[in-house]
Amino acid sequence: MKCNQCGECCKLFVINLSKEEYNSKSYKTMFDEFVEDFEEAEMVGANLLEQKEDGSCIYLKDTTCSIHDRRPAVCKPFFCNSKEPRFQEMIAIIEENK
């Protein structure tokens, strides 16, 4: 599958980073200046990708993910045309908001 880069998922969903991604310091995260380790970050939501004022992902530029080649692991398997049952609720939310 290939992403059609509509940007809707980046506008609607908050992204949790894995421990490795968080510890890499390669991503802008929420409240990271207030926590010292991943376990604490996960507890308070500091392992979430930072969001713009409108609630969209900080890495969304127009309708394109500006870090698509190095996007978080949780983003990689998701596509708006996926038939996987685990994504159907997210796809429905995207369709409702288009």
Side-chain angles (χ1 to χ4, degrees):
M1 285 188 206
K2 186 174 182 342
C3 178
N4 64 13
Q5 298 189 5
C6 66
E8 291 301 316
C9 57
C10 303
K11 295 174 188 172
L12 297 170
F13 305 113
V14 178
I15 302 304
N16 291 295
L17 296 176
S18 69
K19 183 175 185 174
E20 294 76 24
E21 291 166 337
Y22 179 81
N23 288 336
S24 76
K25 304 293 184 202
S26 297
Y27 302 94
K28 294 179 185 178
T29 58
M30 304 286 284
F31 316 116
D32 61 347
E33 66 270 14
F34 301 111
V35 296
E36 297 191 18
D37 61 32
F38 178 75
E39 287 72 24
E40 185 181 3
E42 194 171 38
M43 238 175 23
V44 299
N47 67 317
L48 303 174
L49 281 186
E50 188 173 332
Q51 295 174 289
K52 298 177 191 176
E53 284 186 27
D54 67 2
S56 64
C57 177
I58 193 75
Y59 295 109
L60 182 65
K61 304 295 182 212
D62 298 318
T63 63
T64 304
C65 175
S66 65
I67 60 167
H68 196 264
D69 290 339
R70 63 178 187 89
R71 66 196 182 277
V74 72
C75 298
K76 290 178 181 179
F78 179 78
F79 294 94
C80 292
N81 57 358
S82 176
K83 301 297 182 214
E84 288 189 49
R86 65 182 172 148
F87 296 133
Q88 297 314 300
E89 187 175 336
M90 292 171 66
I91 292 168
I93 292 169
I94 289 170
E95 288 301 318
E96 289 173 12
N97 284 280
K98 279 189 175 182

